[in-house]
Amino acid sequence: MRAYDSATASTAIAVTAPETRTSGPSAPGTGVAHRTDGPSGSSASGTGASHRAAGPSGPAAPATASRTPAADSPSRGTLLAGLGVVAFSLTFPSTVWGLESFGPWSLVAVRSTLAALVAGVFLLAGRVPPPERRHWAGLAVVAGGVVVGFPLLTSLALQTSTTSHAAVVVGLLPLTTATLAALRTGRRPSRTFWIAAVSGAVVVLGFTLAESGGALSTGDLYLFGALLVCAAGYTEGGRLAALMPGWQVIGWALVLCLPLMLVASAVTLSLEPVHLNAHGVVGLVWVAAGSTFFGLYVWYRGMAAIGIPKASQLQLAQPLLTLVWSVSLLGETLSPAAPVAAVAVLVCIAVTQRSKS
């Protein structure tokens, strides 16, 4: 969930070199030492050198989790972002399974609570200090978009839409993310990039309308709302992943939601019926640990390495993977148009990955 210029590059900030500590070699080409923070001590993704910003009164601020780790190579970044797409492609089938045991509101509250607890354990184990105050607004956008908004809106949509239909509608997410990223970061991808991106979106939209008979349902409105909030969360998360390890971005966003989700879990579980079965438990575990934590960890790390626009275009393959899972796991019928859409979308992905940002 790109040697390319990263669309997540941050603006220059004053550096107090004497204060900077190092636990590893400098990121290539930066000339500034850095610390890596991770649960096992290894570095996560990032594209700039880490720093400590001087405050209004002059002294350098305390060291925080915003230190930039060593950058992943473009090929490794593409692999990590691809792993995120695979994890995300299982989200809808897992959500459908989870809805067998929980209501839509309680499923989202419980999955977010469990994911936040997992993230909290990793943050405590790594002794990661809280982010700087200037990063909390961005983390709130990530939390509202990918931790709460997208799961809730898609869960509501999947009560009336099939998994395959929802997957194709959400195939518009790459173009939405690339557009918001261009507005947020000020970077402008090339014309070739935009032509390929729009072409992929047109294929996805045409496939959606053909499957739904040309009419949009209430579920589609939920899905389009999910597109907007998720794209905002991806964009802000990708920007922050250039300043701190990707797993910390999603980790702190989840922890930020924990108090609210604990209350929401208690309330929604008392109001919505719960019928536990194997599918429901497996679905809940996957959307909590697989999609929400692991998927977003590798996704943000990949985005930091190859840039938001290029990473977002890898998600054009997500609805097609979800179609495969919907057939193999849920027994849904695959449309004859799916293979044609798959080839067209993969061509668009190849073009966007080779275009200059």
Side-chain angles (χ1 to χ4, degrees):
M1 113 228 242
R2 326 115 147 187
Y4 302 111
D5 291 333
S6 172
T8 61
S10 58
T11 56
I13 301 177
V15 178
T16 54
E19 294 288 336
T20 305
R21 295 188 302 165
T22 179
S23 60
S26 300
T30 61
V32 181
H34 66 274
R35 285 182 61 189
T36 57
D37 292 299
S40 60
S42 61
S43 65
S45 71
T47 55
S50 93
H51 57 265
R52 296 175 60 186
S57 59
T64 70
S66 63
R67 305 179 186 90
T68 305
D72 287 301
S73 66
S75 59
R76 182 176 176 82
T78 300
L79 175 62
L80 290 170
L83 286 175
V85 170
V86 173
F88 298 154
S89 71
L90 284 162
T91 300
F92 284 176
S94 299
T95 299
V96 171
W97 277 5
L99 289 172
E100 293 183 14
S101 296
F102 303 91
W105 295 86
S106 57
L107 177 63
V108 172
V110 174
R111 72 179 272 185
S112 299
T113 298
L114 293 178
L117 292 175
V118 172
V121 169
F122 275 86
L123 291 170
L124 287 174
R127 297 181 180 180
V128 180
E132 297 177 24
R133 183 180 301 177
R134 63 195 175 95
H135 295 323
W136 282 107
L139 290 170
V141 174
V142 176
V146 303
V147 176
V148 178
F150 184 80
L152 178 59
L153 291 171
T154 53
S155 294
L156 292 172
L158 287 170
Q159 290 187 298
T160 56
S161 298
T162 64
T163 301
S164 56
H165 178 81
V168 178
V169 173
V170 176
L172 293 174
L173 183 58
L175 180 59
T176 308
T177 302
T179 301
L180 290 183
L183 295 174
R184 177 68 177 87
T185 65
R187 303 298 295 269
R188 296 294 183 266
S190 67
R191 180 179 300 178
T192 301
F193 176 94
W194 283 116
I195 291 174
V198 172
S199 298
V202 168
V203 170
V204 170
L205 183 59
F207 183 83
T208 302
L209 293 176
E211 290 294 296
S212 61
L216 298 179
S217 64
T218 301
D220 291 321
L221 297 179
Y222 284 131
L223 292 171
F224 285 126
L227 285 176
L228 293 176
V229 298
C230 189
Y234 279 173
T235 298
E236 198 63 19
R239 184 187 69 83
L240 290 173
L243 305 175
M244 66 180 77
W247 74 274
Q248 292 182 21
V249 173
I250 186 57
W252 286 115
L254 286 164
V255 169
L256 183 64
C257 291
L258 182 57
L260 176 62
M261 290 298 102
L262 284 172
V263 174
S265 296
V267 173
T268 55
L269 287 173
S270 67
L271 297 177
E272 292 181 333
V274 176
H275 305 288
L276 293 180
N277 59 31
H279 277 177
V281 173
V282 171
L284 172 63
V285 170
W286 178 257
V287 293
S291 300
T292 307
F293 184 74
F294 171 76
L296 287 170
Y297 160 52
V298 294
W299 174 245
Y300 284 140
R301 181 167 173 173
M303 278 201 296
I306 63 178
I308 299 173
K310 289 185 180 297
S312 70
Q313 298 314 299
L314 291 175
Q315 278 199 305
L316 285 170
Q318 182 176 324
L320 305 171
L321 289 173
T322 300
L323 289 176
V324 175
W325 305 133
S326 68
V327 172
S328 59
L329 298 178
L330 304 178
E332 294 184 6
T333 302
L334 186 63
S335 167
V340 177
V343 173
V345 167
L346 290 176
V347 169
C348 292
I349 292 175
V351 174
T352 58
Q353 294 303 296
R354 291 179 178 274
S355 67
K356 295 182 179 180
S357 296

mmCIF file of all heavy atoms in Angstrom, residues 108-142:
data_model
loop_
_atom_site.group_PDB
_atom_site.id
_atom_site.type_symbol
_atom_site.label_atom_id
_atom_site.label_comp_id
_atom_site.label_asym_id
_atom_site.label_seq_id
_atom_site.Cartn_x
_atom_site.Cartn_y
_atom_site.Cartn_z
ATOM 1 N N VAL A 108 -14.227 -2.835 13.004
ATOM 2 C CA VAL A 108 -13.221 -1.788 12.832
ATOM 3 C C VAL A 108 -12.601 -1.405 14.172
ATOM 4 O O VAL A 108 -11.382 -1.235 14.287
ATOM 5 C CB VAL A 108 -13.841 -0.548 12.156
ATOM 6 C CG1 VAL A 108 -12.854 0.612 12.151
ATOM 7 C CG2 VAL A 108 -14.256 -0.885 10.730
ATOM 8 N N ALA A 109 -13.443 -1.275 15.201
ATOM 9 C CA ALA A 109 -12.926 -0.871 16.517
ATOM 10 C C ALA A 109 -11.988 -1.929 17.090
ATOM 11 O O ALA A 109 -10.898 -1.608 17.600
ATOM 12 C CB ALA A 109 -14.092 -0.622 17.476
ATOM 13 N N VAL A 110 -12.373 -3.194 16.985
ATOM 14 C CA VAL A 110 -11.551 -4.265 17.560
ATOM 15 C C VAL A 110 -10.271 -4.452 16.756
ATOM 16 O O VAL A 110 -9.185 -4.642 17.329
ATOM 17 C CB VAL A 110 -12.354 -5.582 17.629
ATOM 18 C CG1 VAL A 110 -11.455 -6.734 18.079
ATOM 19 C CG2 VAL A 110 -13.525 -5.436 18.593
ATOM 20 N N ARG A 111 -10.349 -4.395 15.421
ATOM 21 C CA ARG A 111 -9.144 -4.570 14.608
ATOM 22 C C ARG A 111 -8.140 -3.460 14.882
ATOM 23 O O ARG A 111 -6.938 -3.708 14.973
ATOM 24 C CB ARG A 111 -9.478 -4.629 13.117
ATOM 25 C CG ARG A 111 -9.889 -3.316 12.490
ATOM 26 C CD ARG A 111 -10.187 -3.404 10.999
ATOM 27 N NE ARG A 111 -8.985 -3.219 10.199
ATOM 28 C CZ ARG A 111 -8.983 -3.156 8.873
ATOM 29 N NH1 ARG A 111 -10.126 -3.306 8.205
ATOM 30 N NH2 ARG A 111 -7.874 -2.969 8.205
ATOM 31 N N SER A 112 -8.625 -2.225 15.037
ATOM 32 C CA SER A 112 -7.732 -1.105 15.316
ATOM 33 C C SER A 112 -7.112 -1.224 16.704
ATOM 34 O O SER A 112 -5.939 -0.899 16.898
ATOM 35 C CB SER A 112 -8.491 0.222 15.188
ATOM 36 O OG SER A 112 -8.985 0.394 13.873
ATOM 37 N N THR A 113 -7.901 -1.707 17.660
ATOM 38 C CA THR A 113 -7.380 -1.891 19.014
ATOM 39 C C THR A 113 -6.276 -2.940 19.025
ATOM 40 O O THR A 113 -5.198 -2.735 19.611
ATOM 41 C CB THR A 113 -8.506 -2.311 19.972
ATOM 42 O OG1 THR A 113 -9.492 -1.268 20.014
ATOM 43 C CG2 THR A 113 -7.972 -2.561 21.372
ATOM 44 N N LEU A 114 -6.520 -4.081 18.388
ATOM 45 C CA LEU A 114 -5.515 -5.141 18.348
ATOM 46 C C LEU A 114 -4.253 -4.676 17.624
ATOM 47 O O LEU A 114 -3.128 -4.944 18.065
ATOM 48 C CB LEU A 114 -6.088 -6.379 17.663
ATOM 49 C CG LEU A 114 -7.221 -7.105 18.398
ATOM 50 C CD1 LEU A 114 -7.730 -8.284 17.572
ATOM 51 C CD2 LEU A 114 -6.758 -7.574 19.776
ATOM 52 N N ALA A 115 -4.431 -3.988 16.491
ATOM 53 C CA ALA A 115 -3.276 -3.500 15.739
ATOM 54 C C ALA A 115 -2.482 -2.495 16.565
ATOM 55 O O ALA A 115 -1.244 -2.486 16.539
ATOM 56 C CB ALA A 115 -3.729 -2.863 14.429
ATOM 57 N N ALA A 116 -3.169 -1.644 17.328
ATOM 58 C CA ALA A 116 -2.489 -0.660 18.167
ATOM 59 C C ALA A 116 -1.694 -1.337 19.278
ATOM 60 O O ALA A 116 -0.599 -0.895 19.634
ATOM 61 C CB ALA A 116 -3.493 0.323 18.753
ATOM 62 N N LEU A 117 -2.240 -2.415 19.835
ATOM 63 C CA LEU A 117 -1.518 -3.146 20.877
ATOM 64 C C LEU A 117 -0.255 -3.794 20.307
ATOM 65 O O LEU A 117 0.808 -3.779 20.949
ATOM 66 C CB LEU A 117 -2.428 -4.208 21.497
ATOM 67 C CG LEU A 117 -3.609 -3.667 22.319
ATOM 68 C CD1 LEU A 117 -4.513 -4.815 22.771
ATOM 69 C CD2 LEU A 117 -3.111 -2.871 23.519
ATOM 70 N N VAL A 118 -0.354 -4.362 19.099
ATOM 71 C CA VAL A 118 0.831 -4.933 18.447
ATOM 72 C C VAL A 118 1.876 -3.850 18.216
ATOM 73 O O VAL A 118 3.065 -4.018 18.507
ATOM 74 C CB VAL A 118 0.435 -5.598 17.115
ATOM 75 C CG1 VAL A 118 1.695 -6.025 16.345
ATOM 76 C CG2 VAL A 118 -0.453 -6.810 17.359
ATOM 77 N N ALA A 119 1.422 -2.711 17.694
ATOM 78 C CA ALA A 119 2.343 -1.608 17.435
ATOM 79 C C ALA A 119 2.985 -1.113 18.728
ATOM 80 O O ALA A 119 4.185 -0.814 18.769
ATOM 81 C CB ALA A 119 1.606 -0.460 16.740
ATOM 82 N N GLY A 120 2.184 -1.024 19.793
ATOM 83 C CA GLY A 120 2.714 -0.563 21.065
ATOM 84 C C GLY A 120 3.808 -1.466 21.606
ATOM 85 O O GLY A 120 4.812 -0.990 22.158
ATOM 86 N N VAL A 121 3.636 -2.772 21.439
ATOM 87 C CA VAL A 121 4.658 -3.721 21.885
ATOM 88 C C VAL A 121 5.960 -3.489 21.136
ATOM 89 O O VAL A 121 7.055 -3.472 21.732
ATOM 90 C CB VAL A 121 4.169 -5.175 21.693
ATOM 91 C CG1 VAL A 121 5.317 -6.155 21.903
ATOM 92 C CG2 VAL A 121 3.025 -5.479 22.650
ATOM 93 N N PHE A 122 5.891 -3.298 19.814
ATOM 94 C CA PHE A 122 7.098 -3.058 19.025
ATOM 95 C C PHE A 122 7.759 -1.738 19.410
ATOM 96 O O PHE A 122 8.986 -1.649 19.488
ATOM 97 C CB PHE A 122 6.759 -3.059 17.535
ATOM 98 C CG PHE A 122 6.737 -4.427 16.913
ATOM 99 C CD1 PHE A 122 5.591 -5.208 16.953
ATOM 100 C CD2 PHE A 122 7.867 -4.934 16.290
ATOM 101 C CE1 PHE A 122 5.570 -6.467 16.390
ATOM 102 C CE2 PHE A 122 7.855 -6.191 15.714
ATOM 103 C CZ PHE A 122 6.707 -6.971 15.774
ATOM 104 N N LEU A 123 6.958 -0.716 19.639
ATOM 105 C CA LEU A 123 7.528 0.577 20.015
ATOM 106 C C LEU A 123 8.210 0.510 21.377
ATOM 107 O O LEU A 123 9.285 1.084 21.581
ATOM 108 C CB LEU A 123 6.428 1.643 20.031
ATOM 109 C CG LEU A 123 5.850 2.024 18.659
ATOM 110 C CD1 LEU A 123 4.610 2.892 18.819
ATOM 111 C CD2 LEU A 123 6.893 2.745 17.812
ATOM 112 N N LEU A 124 7.581 -0.209 22.329
ATOM 113 C CA LEU A 124 8.190 -0.366 23.649
ATOM 114 C C LEU A 124 9.453 -1.218 23.579
ATOM 115 O O LEU A 124 10.462 -0.908 24.213
ATOM 116 C CB LEU A 124 7.182 -0.989 24.610
ATOM 117 C CG LEU A 124 6.034 -0.085 25.084
ATOM 118 C CD1 LEU A 124 5.037 -0.886 25.920
ATOM 119 C CD2 LEU A 124 6.572 1.102 25.879
ATOM 120 N N ALA A 125 9.400 -2.310 22.806
ATOM 121 C CA ALA A 125 10.564 -3.186 22.683
ATOM 122 C C ALA A 125 11.752 -2.448 22.061
ATOM 123 O O ALA A 125 12.904 -2.684 22.420
ATOM 124 C CB ALA A 125 10.215 -4.420 21.855
ATOM 125 N N GLY A 126 11.452 -1.556 21.120
ATOM 126 C CA GLY A 126 12.515 -0.787 20.475
ATOM 127 C C GLY A 126 12.897 0.464 21.235
ATOM 128 O O GLY A 126 13.789 1.200 20.804
ATOM 129 N N ARG A 127 12.215 0.723 22.375
ATOM 130 C CA ARG A 127 12.471 1.924 23.178
ATOM 131 C C ARG A 127 12.459 3.174 22.311
ATOM 132 O O ARG A 127 13.353 4.025 22.377
ATOM 133 C CB ARG A 127 13.800 1.796 23.923
ATOM 134 C CG ARG A 127 13.831 0.647 24.925
ATOM 135 C CD ARG A 127 15.157 0.587 25.652
ATOM 136 N NE ARG A 127 15.182 -0.517 26.622
ATOM 137 C CZ ARG A 127 16.217 -0.801 27.408
ATOM 138 N NH1 ARG A 127 17.328 -0.070 27.331
ATOM 139 N NH2 ARG A 127 16.160 -1.821 28.259
ATOM 140 N N VAL A 128 11.444 3.267 21.484
ATOM 141 C CA VAL A 128 11.331 4.380 20.541
ATOM 142 C C VAL A 128 10.732 5.598 21.249
ATOM 143 O O VAL A 128 9.647 5.503 21.818
ATOM 144 C CB VAL A 128 10.437 3.992 19.346
ATOM 145 C CG1 VAL A 128 10.316 5.152 18.374
ATOM 146 C CG2 VAL A 128 11.008 2.757 18.648
ATOM 147 N N PRO A 129 11.417 6.723 21.240
ATOM 148 C CA PRO A 129 10.859 7.932 21.856
ATOM 149 C C PRO A 129 9.701 8.481 21.032
ATOM 150 O O PRO A 129 9.617 8.220 19.830
ATOM 151 C CB PRO A 129 12.045 8.904 21.864
ATOM 152 C CG PRO A 129 12.884 8.467 20.720
ATOM 153 C CD PRO A 129 12.758 6.965 20.665
ATOM 154 N N PRO A 130 8.801 9.217 21.645
ATOM 155 C CA PRO A 130 7.661 9.790 20.901
ATOM 156 C C PRO A 130 8.145 10.712 19.786
ATOM 157 O O PRO A 130 9.219 11.316 19.889
ATOM 158 C CB PRO A 130 6.886 10.565 21.974
ATOM 159 C CG PRO A 130 7.294 9.942 23.263
ATOM 160 C CD PRO A 130 8.729 9.533 23.080
ATOM 161 N N PRO A 131 7.373 10.845 18.712
ATOM 162 C CA PRO A 131 7.755 11.760 17.629
ATOM 163 C C PRO A 131 7.753 13.207 18.116
ATOM 164 O O PRO A 131 7.140 13.541 19.133
ATOM 165 C CB PRO A 131 6.656 11.538 16.574
ATOM 166 C CG PRO A 131 6.032 10.233 16.922
ATOM 167 C CD PRO A 131 6.140 10.101 18.405
ATOM 168 N N GLU A 132 8.422 14.057 17.363
ATOM 169 C CA GLU A 132 8.387 15.481 17.671
ATOM 170 C C GLU A 132 6.970 16.019 17.507
ATOM 171 O O GLU A 132 6.164 15.479 16.738
ATOM 172 C CB GLU A 132 9.349 16.237 16.747
ATOM 173 C CG GLU A 132 10.802 15.853 16.920
ATOM 174 C CD GLU A 132 11.699 16.570 15.926
ATOM 175 O OE1 GLU A 132 11.304 17.649 15.435
ATOM 176 O OE2 GLU A 132 12.786 16.049 15.627
ATOM 177 N N ARG A 133 6.682 17.089 18.211
ATOM 178 C CA ARG A 133 5.330 17.650 18.195
ATOM 179 C C ARG A 133 4.882 18.022 16.790
ATOM 180 O O ARG A 133 3.712 17.870 16.446
ATOM 181 C CB ARG A 133 5.285 18.880 19.107
ATOM 182 C CG ARG A 133 3.909 19.522 19.225
ATOM 183 C CD ARG A 133 3.941 20.730 20.150
ATOM 184 N NE ARG A 133 4.397 20.362 21.476
ATOM 185 C CZ ARG A 133 4.577 21.231 22.458
ATOM 186 N NH1 ARG A 133 4.374 22.532 22.242
ATOM 187 N NH2 ARG A 133 4.986 20.822 23.657
ATOM 188 N N ARG A 134 5.817 18.462 15.955
ATOM 189 C CA ARG A 134 5.449 18.891 14.602
ATOM 190 C C ARG A 134 4.956 17.743 13.723
ATOM 191 O O ARG A 134 4.381 17.986 12.656
ATOM 192 C CB ARG A 134 6.645 19.585 13.942
ATOM 193 C CG ARG A 134 7.861 18.690 13.755
ATOM 194 C CD ARG A 134 9.119 19.516 13.438
ATOM 195 N NE ARG A 134 10.315 18.684 13.367
ATOM 196 C CZ ARG A 134 10.797 18.192 12.240
ATOM 197 N NH1 ARG A 134 10.174 18.430 11.100
ATOM 198 N NH2 ARG A 134 11.892 17.458 12.254
ATOM 199 N N HIS A 135 5.202 16.488 14.135
ATOM 200 C CA HIS A 135 4.769 15.347 13.329
ATOM 201 C C HIS A 135 3.387 14.807 13.731
ATOM 202 O O HIS A 135 2.825 13.988 13.011
ATOM 203 C CB HIS A 135 5.787 14.212 13.441
ATOM 204 C CG HIS A 135 7.133 14.539 12.865
ATOM 205 N ND1 HIS A 135 7.296 15.291 11.725
ATOM 206 C CD2 HIS A 135 8.389 14.213 13.289
ATOM 207 C CE1 HIS A 135 8.589 15.410 11.458
ATOM 208 N NE2 HIS A 135 9.273 14.783 12.391
ATOM 209 N N TRP A 136 2.857 15.239 14.860
ATOM 210 C CA TRP A 136 1.612 14.639 15.344
ATOM 211 C C TRP A 136 0.415 14.954 14.454
ATOM 212 O O TRP A 136 -0.494 14.126 14.318
ATOM 213 C CB TRP A 136 1.336 15.067 16.784
ATOM 214 C CG TRP A 136 2.165 14.307 17.775
ATOM 215 C CD1 TRP A 136 3.235 14.783 18.481
ATOM 216 C CD2 TRP A 136 2.017 12.930 18.145
ATOM 217 N NE1 TRP A 136 3.771 13.784 19.264
ATOM 218 C CE2 TRP A 136 3.043 12.639 19.079
ATOM 219 C CE3 TRP A 136 1.134 11.915 17.780
ATOM 220 C CZ2 TRP A 136 3.192 11.379 19.654
ATOM 221 C CZ3 TRP A 136 1.285 10.660 18.346
ATOM 222 C CH2 TRP A 136 2.300 10.398 19.265
ATOM 223 N N ALA A 137 0.392 16.136 13.848
ATOM 224 C CA ALA A 137 -0.717 16.470 12.942
ATOM 225 C C ALA A 137 -0.745 15.516 11.751
ATOM 226 O O ALA A 137 -1.802 15.027 11.343
ATOM 227 C CB ALA A 137 -0.602 17.919 12.472
ATOM 228 N N GLY A 138 0.434 15.238 11.190
ATOM 229 C CA GLY A 138 0.502 14.293 10.082
ATOM 230 C C GLY A 138 0.102 12.898 10.508
ATOM 231 O O GLY A 138 -0.581 12.181 9.770
ATOM 232 N N LEU A 139 0.520 12.485 11.699
ATOM 233 C CA LEU A 139 0.133 11.167 12.208
ATOM 234 C C LEU A 139 -1.373 11.079 12.419
ATOM 235 O O LEU A 139 -1.970 10.017 12.223
ATOM 236 C CB LEU A 139 0.869 10.883 13.517
ATOM 237 C CG LEU A 139 2.378 10.638 13.393
ATOM 238 C CD1 LEU A 139 3.031 10.603 14.773
ATOM 239 C CD2 LEU A 139 2.656 9.327 12.650
ATOM 240 N N ALA A 140 -1.992 12.196 12.795
ATOM 241 C CA ALA A 140 -3.451 12.207 12.951
ATOM 242 C C ALA A 140 -4.151 11.988 11.614
ATOM 243 O O ALA A 140 -5.187 11.312 11.536
ATOM 244 C CB ALA A 140 -3.900 13.530 13.585
ATOM 245 N N VAL A 141 -3.572 12.547 10.541
ATOM 246 C CA VAL A 141 -4.143 12.329 9.208
ATOM 247 C C VAL A 141 -4.020 10.859 8.820
ATOM 248 O O VAL A 141 -4.955 10.259 8.273
ATOM 249 C CB VAL A 141 -3.434 13.218 8.168
ATOM 250 C CG1 VAL A 141 -3.917 12.885 6.752
ATOM 251 C CG2 VAL A 141 -3.683 14.691 8.466
ATOM 252 N N VAL A 142 -2.863 10.256 9.100
ATOM 253 C CA VAL A 142 -2.671 8.833 8.829
ATOM 254 C C VAL A 142 -3.688 8.003 9.613
ATOM 255 O O VAL A 142 -4.326 7.096 9.068
ATOM 256 C CB VAL A 142 -1.236 8.397 9.193
ATOM 257 C CG1 VAL A 142 -1.071 6.891 9.002
ATOM 258 C CG2 VAL A 142 -0.216 9.138 8.330
#
